[in-house]
Amino acid sequence: FPLSRPSPNNNNNPSEEADPDKPQKPMNMFKLMDQKRMVSPKPVDPHLPPAFRKRNSLESSFSSISSNHQQEPALPKQPPLSTTSSPTTSPKEKVTNDIPSLFSPTPSAPGSKKSLKKLLASKKVEYSKLDASTKLLEIATGRTAEWMQQNLNCDRLGLVKNFFHASFGTRTSDKTQKVRVFTLVINDESNDIVSTCGEVMDFYISSGNNPSKPSLRDRAAEALVTPPQKEPVAMFAAPKSSLQTSDIYYIGHWKVASGERLNPPKMVKGQPKQTLVKFQFVGVNPALIQAMNNNDDEAAVEEAPKE
């Protein structure tokens, strides 16, 4: 129904009527409801605490406008999800299903061959110390290259595969392209092999014939000297000349004490050498000694699992 609006002048005089010549605009229904709500608020109990009086006043202010709106039918309550397992589920299966996926058993869980291999590769090797007077060739049994190829698991022992066929066993980082020397075979035909652990090993390296294309020796020499490599190197001795044998002996792990480029080159056993690296004894890897002495250590000698 049309409603009349009070006069535009704000004199609040009820006796004054609106001008009939001017068109009257219908009043907003919500505004009229607000005025009705504010005129007759619900009385507040004076005995209530101040906080409850304010809350009761607010509730009474909104009660009138809430009553004018049609209440929507309430949605039926959904039954709670059943947390009980099915009759065919055993208590053990129920506990497994309740475990978050982060802790659920996975194929790479501890105990699997894959995780064991990663654990052995990432585990830091603790080297055993030896007396300074210990003879290097008495640390482990000498073996031929053919025996090592058939019995040694180089990956698990931290060695480069088929290292015994070359003087240097190196690996290159895919991320930094930096070369690291893991193994070194010293032949007494080109370098002198010291007798005991307490001595400093002088190892001379000759450069390749093509300076524009560095050889494996050049890359290994640079990795050992520029700057000096921090990681120990597994040393093997090949006493071909002194013992007249083709056996290769594990003589411990050694670290780089110092290194330098030789200019001019130094003649060592009739060959020019351009790099000198001084090694100092660190210790021995017990797993490698046991692998060289016999085949009982399956963790170090057995064939690597195929993935």
Side-chain angles (χ1 to χ4, degrees):
F1 54 90
L3 299 175
S4 60
R5 186 175 183 180
S7 175
N9 52 356
N10 236 351
N11 53 7
N12 297 329
N13 190 357
S15 62
E16 184 175 334
E17 298 181 358
D19 189 358
D21 296 335
K22 295 182 179 180
Q24 302 296 327
K25 295 182 180 180
M27 179 176 289
N28 192 324
M29 177 63 70
F30 290 100
K31 186 174 182 180
L32 180 62
M33 294 167 60
D34 292 342
Q35 291 179 358
K36 181 179 178 182
R37 183 183 69 249
M38 298 304 296
V39 169
S40 56
K42 185 178 179 181
V44 181
D45 190 355
H47 299 287
L48 291 176
F52 286 91
R53 293 180 196 173
K54 185 176 181 180
R55 179 180 177 183
N56 197 2
S57 176
L58 292 174
E59 291 178 353
S60 62
S61 301
F62 288 96
S63 60
S64 59
I65 188 171
S66 300
S67 61
N68 292 331
H69 289 281
Q70 184 178 0
Q71 295 183 355
E72 296 182 0
L75 295 176
K77 294 184 178 181
Q78 297 292 337
L81 296 176
S82 176
T83 57
T84 59
S85 59
S86 60
T88 59
T89 305
S90 62
K92 185 176 180 180
E93 294 176 348
K94 178 182 176 183
V95 172
T96 305
N97 295 334
D98 293 340
I99 297 176
S101 59
L102 179 63
F103 301 99
S104 299
T106 59
S108 60
S112 63
K113 292 184 178 180
K114 187 175 181 180
S115 63
L116 179 60
K117 183 178 180 181
K118 289 183 177 180
L119 181 62
L120 291 173
S122 61
K123 185 178 179 181
K124 186 177 179 181
V125 179
E126 295 183 0
Y127 302 106
S128 300
K129 302 294 183 181
L130 296 179
D131 188 83
S133 60
T134 303
K135 299 292 184 179
L136 294 180
L137 298 183
E138 296 178 357
I139 293 177
T141 305
R143 301 292 183 177
T144 62
E146 291 77 10
W147 184 94
M148 293 183 183
Q149 189 168 7
Q150 295 178 1
N151 296 278
L152 281 187
N153 188 331
C154 296
D155 292 336
R156 293 194 177 184
L157 293 170
L159 307 174
V160 177
K161 190 175 182 180
N162 298 329
F163 69 92
F164 33 80
H165 291 311
S167 299
F168 299 94
T170 62
R171 290 177 184 171
T172 304
S173 173
D174 296 335
K175 185 177 181 180
T176 62
Q177 297 300 315
K178 184 179 180 181
V179 177
R180 175 185 167 185
V181 179
F182 282 80
T183 60
L184 180 60
V185 180
I186 304 179
N187 192 333
D188 64 351
E189 293 179 349
S190 57
N191 278 281
D192 293 328
I193 303 175
V194 297
S195 301
T196 62
C197 300
E199 301 177 65
V200 176
M201 182 91 69
D202 290 342
F203 184 72
Y204 293 91
I205 306 173
S206 59
S207 300
N209 298 326
N210 189 359
S212 60
K213 188 177 180 180
S215 63
L216 175 61
R217 287 177 172 272
D218 297 331
R219 296 194 301 269
E222 183 178 2
L224 291 173
V225 176
T226 315
Q229 179 174 299
K230 298 180 180 180
E231 297 83 2
V233 179
M235 287 275 204
F236 293 84
K240 292 183 179 181
S241 178
S242 58
L243 298 183
Q244 298 295 318
T245 179
S246 59
D247 290 344
I248 301 175
Y249 295 79
Y250 169 61
I251 58 175
H253 277 69
W254 299 63
K255 67 178 180 179
V256 178
S258 62
E260 60 177 328
R261 297 286 186 177
L262 302 177
N263 192 12
K266 182 178 180 179
M267 297 299 294
V268 178
K269 294 193 174 185
Q271 298 178 357
K273 305 291 184 177
Q274 289 80 12
T275 305
L276 169 61
V277 185
K278 291 182 176 292
F279 287 96
Q280 186 176 0
F281 184 79
V282 174
V284 295
N285 184 354
L288 183 52
I289 293 178
Q290 189 170 4
M292 292 289 292
N293 290 340
N294 52 62
N295 295 337
D296 295 338
D297 186 5
E298 296 181 358
V301 182
E302 68 177 1
E303 183 180 358
K306 297 181 181 180
E307 297 184 359

